[in-house]
């Protein structure tokens, strides 16, 4: 049902009218059948973003040579930043969780039902609370409590675990710890966080309380790649819902759970399908 | 068609279970027929907000005595802040405009078509640009250019004009001047401003540019009562629309016009129907 | 945290200005502290809907006499249809499921995390597929395959099970079988179904395919009480999302899962909190 | 500011990987600078849709030869259906209106403010009501009352007027008359109608009343190209807003006006920018 045997190239480069046809012809000339093509030019800085996905069935360049050929024949000519992905390869996801379970359960359900065709080899938490859930799914659960004193050491353990499990993507499913820059630098644009406000409004702690006190009429959630500046990373997905004077903080928290899990899931889905490019702290998210 | 001969009381007071029945019975006992009843208790500060509208046809207290009786028999007992309004009385609106016309035209269309049953005796602008529009509708147009030096003087003239025309409500239809506190103090909760972002995000100048640079996935507009702190007044209505990497600043400005005029119109409509109460820099907006 | 010891009365009756104060005073005079009050008058048929919730702590009428007293003193005077509920009593929910798991998992997560303070004694399915999930939660799982020939018999078994487990509410979590009228009559306004379109558009089978072929720009989901006419019951909650020419049927089904589970959860939540009244095939849903 | 001197080609054709590079190279090889490129493949019927816009400044094919060259060199090879447009050429719009003014005023405001860079040479109405509005803008106003008996004759007059004024696009701004097939056939995919429901729900007369009686929780509006089957044409834009039991039919009509004018304006804007392609009663709307 789902097309499996495809390759995807994500690229961006200074705009040059010739890039799109050059990339298309790279695929066609080597007997690739294009499944999906997306491109976008950012008007203000004349920068091109492109995504192309093609069937590998009759492709004449061997799979393990595609990157080398693309770099030599195309990418180097245009000064591209690019990456190559294969649909067949399942993304290996690490889940980080603290004490809130709504995003955590939601992701596990999508995994279990096959809605997301991924692997989740490992769950990391600063609490032992959800070990029993991990056990249901036969996922390794690592309880690594964090204090100011031990953060760097615990992160070293985490990095070792992530490395051992060949993790491609880290999802912070309401993981309530700030990661150090050293940690983040190991997974640039590969750590997705969910913040429970429509950033840049109500960054930092207690966004629901702050939104309540300000008397706003909309509340939201933001999924973004984690960067060195807290709540400042490139935004992947946002969504909002209307609220009114009738909504207490408790009610906002309840409603917020639903929007948090939706927004996080949409962002992870976009990433899993190689639809996201980042550039200058912004994202291009193809559909 | 529209029920005309009704009175409306808006009130708020420290919560006391007895207020709602006391107010209802004040109306019923004097042969008022209740058309609409709304109430809300803010949980955190135990404060009651209430709106009651009733037909005056058989009401036994004379119209010009209702306020006195209500104060004596009810309001004073419960420490209420309250106001009395008559549906029959048309709200007299002053429009302030600069060089953007979308909100301005939108309001005038609603006025002309009878969608809003108001009077607009006066339009004030720091530019002469829209005098010809005012002339179409036989509305007085006052061109009062503002500089740092003359702001207080020009505002004095404006206040005099507003007073002469018995203005009930000032609508800042993208009026690009900051009002002084002295001016605002004359019309507490009676000046509605439209800000072109979903506050508190992107307060101040150039919200569309800032939103574009941050790479947000939603943009919005906020209608609020003007207060001494710029962009900090009680929010009446907000709305948002999704945007993507495809939206340039120019496109955001174009889309923004539509959401600005919708949000401003909804806020003015809520005010015109006496559906808005303010308390501690927040609003209760009944429907 | 959550207020427990409250009673709730839901009522509707031909409009009479005196009902609201009469009900309030019934509570206040007997030393009930009102937690929440909602009322609405349907303009066209002059019908009042009301919900009142109050603390029982100092209430002078014994809990098991409240109904009798309310009927005698208040309800009978005004020709009310009414029901009395106690917050403390956990709603006992039966889940019906077929082969789609998204709504099913979503509800179980809300149950497990304590977001919903309910009991789920029983899961009924026409497939054996999700028995292992039921076992995780120690919930009875009954596999009752349905054919044209055995539907009435199987439903008899179901009714017996529902009765044994004192079920208050049946949630059809994408249960792909049509229930007979005989079955539905046992649980009027107590069976919530989710339909995967924004009714009345695309009633019946294959709503996503039909929506795709018509080329609509929005798709949605509808939660409603099951009635004798398929997809015609009183609508409790609807929601929609934008789609475009880019959305294939497969993509619509994927997105639809998220909106289905959200809408169903919102409807169940409204029911669990005694916020829903039905009248003439429509609902009043208080917030 | 706005790029003026561009050409746009809209095309669709049976999918063939080579079309996109062929069209790009047609532009690049003749020294056209591409401003915007959009393409989409409908998965189910393997059909390609494409829009390309390029600067004509250095383009080596003379403007009046572009069509001929494109047909010969590109279109005929791939069996394309295509059209060529020049940004510089202002679209000439005819407005049809009856007695509702909200869409009518909204469009005229966009025209007057320069938000839409169009010409409106003519307004046609079955009532004389808005002649004074047309006079404000110096637009010809033709009052052509329609009866069952005279419809064909009046339409003949309308067609003659539209022809005399070189009309490109007809906008039915809540024009309450059904057009004959003979009339529609003169302007295929060039007549935009606004229907006041989220089609296919509540087609035909009185959609607000029907929506109210069904008790739906969302209402909407639909802009579509007029076709022989009433309310069945290709949908260009839809939008919806939430409603509740609190909304009377009168309130729905009031809120509906805002959504009608928004949806109609968005559809006209998409058409004016040559972003809409139709195929098998569906649209592809590029952004």
């Amino acid at each position: 049902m789902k097309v499996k045997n495809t390759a995807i190239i994500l690229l961006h480069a200074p705009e040059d009218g010739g890039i799109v046809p050059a990339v298309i012809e790279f695929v066609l000339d080597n007997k690739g059948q294009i499944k999906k093509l997306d491109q976008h030019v950012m008007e203000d800085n004349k920068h091109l973003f492109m995504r192309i996905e093609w069937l590998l069935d009759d492709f004449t360049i061997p799979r393990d040579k595609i990157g080398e050929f693309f770099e030599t024949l195309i990418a180097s000519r245009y000064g591209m930043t690019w990456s190559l992905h294969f649909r067949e390869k399942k993304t290996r996801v690490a889940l980080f969780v603290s004490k809130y379970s709504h995003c955590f359960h939601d992701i596990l359900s999508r995994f279990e039902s096959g809605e997301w065709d991924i692997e989740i080899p490992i769950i990391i938490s600063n609490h032992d609370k959800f070990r029993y859930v991990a056990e249901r799914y036969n996922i390794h659960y690592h309880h690594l409590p964090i204090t100011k004193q031990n953060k760097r050491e615990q992160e070293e353990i985490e990095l070792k675990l992530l490395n051992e499990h060949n993790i491609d993507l880290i999802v912070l499913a309401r993981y309530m710890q700030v990661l150090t820059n050293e940690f983040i630098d190991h997974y640039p644009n590969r750590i997705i966080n969910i913040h429970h406000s429509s950033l840049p409004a109500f960054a930092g702690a207690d966004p629901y309380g702050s939104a309540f006190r300000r008397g706003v009429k909309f509340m939201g959630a933001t999924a973004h790649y984690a960067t060195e500046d807290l709540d400042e990373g490139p935004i992947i997905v946002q969504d909002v819902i209307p609220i009114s004077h009738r909504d207490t903080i408790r009610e906002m928290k309840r409603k917020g759970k639903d929007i948090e899990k939706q927004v996080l899931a949409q962002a992870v889905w976009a990433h899993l399908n190689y639809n996201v490019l980042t550039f200058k702290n912004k994202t291009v998210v193809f559909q």
Side-chain angles (χ1 to χ4, degrees), chain A residues 62 67 81-82 86 121 125 131 148 158 171 174-175 199-200 206 212 229 237 243-244 246 255 265 285 287:
Chain A
T81 303
W82 63 280
F86 296 100
S125 179
R131 181 177 297 280
K148 268 188 190 169
E158 290 166 6
V171 177
R174 295 296 308 275
Y175 179 66
L199 290 172
D206 193 22
F212 177 82
D229 300 305
V237 175
I243 53 171
S244 78
R246 292 178 168 270
K255 291 182 178 176
V285 183
Q287 282 174 311

Side-chain angles (χ1 to χ4, degrees), chain A residues 65-254:
Chain A
K65 290 287 182 184
I66 296 173
E68 183 190 330
F69 277 50
F70 186 75
E71 173 62 29
T72 305
L73 300 175
I74 309 286
S76 61
R77 269 202 283 155
Y78 293 99
M80 290 178 186
T81 303
W82 63 280
S83 59
L84 171 67
H85 310 274
F86 296 100
R87 187 64 90 168
E88 222 169 50
K89 157 86 172 71
K90 289 191 188 189
T91 300
R92 293 174 67 82
V93 177
L95 281 185
F96 280 51
V97 68
S98 289
K99 287 183 155 179
Y100 291 110
S101 64
H102 50 288
C103 292
F104 179 64
H105 281 310
D106 186 64
I107 289 169
L108 289 171
S109 299
R110 292 172 198 270
F111 165 61
E112 182 175 34
S113 69
E115 183 185 322
W116 288 357
D117 191 22
I118 59 173
E119 287 169 5
I120 305 183
I122 185 172
I123 294 167
I124 288 174
S125 179
N126 52 334
H127 298 281
D128 209 39
K129 186 176 178 188
F130 295 123
R131 181 177 297 280
Y132 76 101
V133 178
E135 285 170 356
R136 273 183 201 163
Y137 298 93
N138 291 315
I139 300 173
H140 295 280
Y141 188 88
H142 292 272
H143 175 210
L144 291 160
I146 308 284
T147 63
K148 268 188 190 169
Q149 287 69 41
N150 75 359
K151 178 173 282 201
R152 288 296 300 127
E153 296 157 53
Q154 296 290 63
E155 285 192 348
E156 283 306 318
I157 300 171
E158 290 166 6
L159 285 168
K160 199 157 161 292
L161 287 166
L162 296 169
N163 192 47
E164 282 170 17
H165 287 284
N166 293 308
I167 293 304
D168 301 303
L169 175 68
I170 296 167
V171 177
L172 308 179
R174 295 296 308 275
Y175 179 66
M176 308 299 280
Q177 295 295 321
V178 177
L179 305 172
T180 66
N181 298 343
E182 289 73 21
F183 185 95
I184 291 170
D185 286 347
H186 284 82
Y187 291 91
N189 294 331
R190 297 202 287 153
I191 305 171
I192 299 179
N193 185 40
I194 179 77
H195 181 78
H196 41 311
S197 80
S198 186
L199 290 172
F202 311 119
D206 193 22
Y208 293 130
S210 304
F212 177 82
R213 286 183 290 277
R214 179 62 186 93
V216 289
K217 304 299 188 188
F218 272 85
M219 56 175 261
T222 303
H224 62 91
Y225 288 118
T227 56
E228 306 204 350
D229 300 305
L230 193 65
D231 300 334
E232 293 286 340
I235 294 169
I236 310 166
V237 175
Q238 295 187 297
D239 205 356
V240 293
I241 50 169
I243 53 171
S244 78
H245 59 269
R246 292 178 168 270
D247 289 289
T248 58
I249 293 181
R250 195 173 67 225
E251 186 66 4
M252 289 170 69
K253 285 180 179 170
R254 188 187 67 78

